[in-house]
Amino acid sequence: MLDELYVTPPADFVSRREQLAAEAERDGRGDDARRIHAARRPTLAAWAANLLLRSQPQESGQFLELGRALREAYRTLDADGIRELSEQRRSIVSALSRQAAELARDAGHRLSGAARQDVESTLRAVLADEDAAERWATGRLESALTPPADFPSRDATTAGPSRRPARPAPAPPDTRSRAKDELAERRRRRQQQLGQARRSAQAADRRLREASAGRADADASLQQARERHDRAREHESAAEERLRQARQELRRAEQDQKEAEERLRTAAEAVDRAERAARDAAQEVARLAEPTE
């Protein structure tokens, strides 16, 4: 019930919350009713982020997986690797935020520029911070999330050459080989993490493109369906008008028929009376014509 509640448009949130709580109370689920009563209405941006998670589960799962890969990679990557992943990160965040805005619009709520920025901030936070990712994954955000200030950004990766730690003092010969092996192992793991992060980013980007294409097809189909519906409505209205006119004509014809039947009945009665009068007159003539003694 809470999952449904947090994708309810904010304008309807309170009434739906009370309805769900009442249903829980009626079914004897007091704990659920209390949790539902305690739910707070999300901001428009938080609601859009919740709607995105519930409406696009596959893309959202890919996005969460990308965040895990990025957070791991950022701990060891050099500036060049971070710069490449940052470009992919911005592209995916922008695409997902557009999807969230379209979902919100289809649900009857257009996101303002500030709300769009809050959605993008939430998505960046999901990539950068594990706690933020877990909160979004519940689908029950009440407010927008803010990415941590220390997460690498484009400025941090393009401002100049990356800082490297000071070179350590020469190690003794018996430890130098081990240090070289450890460095090689760290580099190998870093390349593996970079490859994983790149694959996750590419997969997420591909999913987003496919979803966008599918959404465009669905929008076109919806527009065609609406046009057919409008034409059918026009035909229906015309048919209803013709039916109304036919009913009026039928009522007038029925009235004319009743009036004609009444005139016919009156005329028939007059004929009957005239026939009786003629018979009576004929009988009287015959009686008078009889000879008298």
Side-chain angles (χ1 to χ4, degrees):
M1 285 189 173
L2 280 173
D3 290 343
E4 176 194 347
L5 184 60
Y6 278 98
V7 293
T8 299
D12 302 326
F13 182 89
V14 174
S15 60
R16 185 58 177 156
R17 180 184 65 189
E18 298 310 308
Q19 181 183 358
L20 292 175
E23 291 176 1
E25 288 279 6
R26 188 171 55 253
D27 295 341
R29 294 179 287 108
D31 290 342
D32 288 344
R34 283 188 289 274
R35 281 193 291 270
I36 293 170
H37 268 304
R40 295 174 54 196
R41 180 172 60 185
T43 64
L44 194 59
W47 165 72
N50 293 334
L51 193 61
L52 174 66
L53 178 79
R54 298 296 177 192
S55 301
Q56 306 291 338
Q58 192 170 18
E59 289 76 10
S60 298
Q62 289 279 345
F63 189 68
L64 289 167
E65 187 61 36
L66 173 63
R68 283 189 286 270
L70 283 173
R71 290 191 296 275
E72 179 62 28
Y74 272 125
R75 284 192 276 270
T76 55
L77 287 179
D78 57 11
D80 292 337
I82 292 175
R83 186 179 300 110
E84 178 180 350
L85 288 174
S86 296
E87 292 294 338
Q88 295 176 354
R89 173 169 58 95
R90 281 189 296 277
S91 173
I92 293 170
V93 166
S94 177
L96 276 180
S97 67
R98 284 196 302 272
Q99 281 199 13
E102 291 172 357
L103 289 168
R105 181 199 62 198
D106 292 345
H109 293 270
R110 290 187 177 274
L111 299 186
S112 65
R116 284 283 298 271
Q117 290 178 359
D118 285 343
V119 172
E120 291 186 3
S121 173
T122 297
L123 294 174
R124 288 196 301 272
V126 169
L127 287 179
D129 183 68
E130 184 175 358
D131 290 339
E134 291 176 354
R135 289 178 61 190
W136 182 58
T138 67
R140 300 176 184 176
L141 290 181
E142 296 176 350
S143 58
L145 303 176
T146 303
D150 58 350
F151 192 65
S153 64
R154 186 175 187 277
D155 293 339
T157 59
T158 59
S162 59
R163 296 184 179 180
R164 302 182 180 271
R167 179 176 296 179
D174 58 344
T175 63
R176 187 172 303 164
S177 178
R178 288 199 304 273
K180 185 179 296 184
D181 291 342
E182 291 175 358
L183 177 61
E185 177 63 19
R186 286 197 299 272
R187 286 175 176 172
R188 185 187 65 79
R189 288 198 303 269
R190 183 179 64 189
Q191 290 303 316
Q192 288 179 342
Q193 292 163 352
L194 175 58
Q196 180 183 357
R198 284 171 175 166
R199 288 191 295 273
S200 297
Q202 290 168 356
D205 190 52
R206 184 175 61 254
R207 294 281 187 186
L208 286 172
R209 288 196 301 270
E210 292 172 354
S212 297
R215 185 172 187 83
D217 291 341
D219 284 342
S221 298
L222 176 60
Q223 182 61 33
Q224 292 174 358
R226 284 174 174 166
E227 291 174 355
R228 290 196 301 270
H229 176 271
D230 291 342
R231 288 195 297 269
R233 174 66 69 181
E234 291 175 358
H235 294 160
E236 181 185 23
S237 298
E240 288 177 349
E241 177 62 21
R242 289 194 296 271
L243 177 59
R244 185 185 65 80
Q245 293 175 356
R247 285 173 175 168
Q248 288 179 346
E249 292 175 0
L250 177 61
R251 286 194 295 269
R252 286 195 295 267
E254 288 175 345
Q255 183 64 30
D256 291 344
Q257 181 181 345
K258 289 179 181 179
E259 293 176 355
E261 289 174 348
E262 179 64 23
R263 289 193 299 271
L264 177 60
R265 185 183 61 80
T266 302
E269 291 176 351
V271 168
D272 288 342
R273 288 193 300 270
E275 287 177 346
R276 285 196 300 270
R279 283 195 301 270
D280 291 345
Q283 290 173 358
E284 182 64 20
V285 168
R287 186 183 64 78
L288 293 175
E290 288 179 359
T292 60
E293 295 180 357

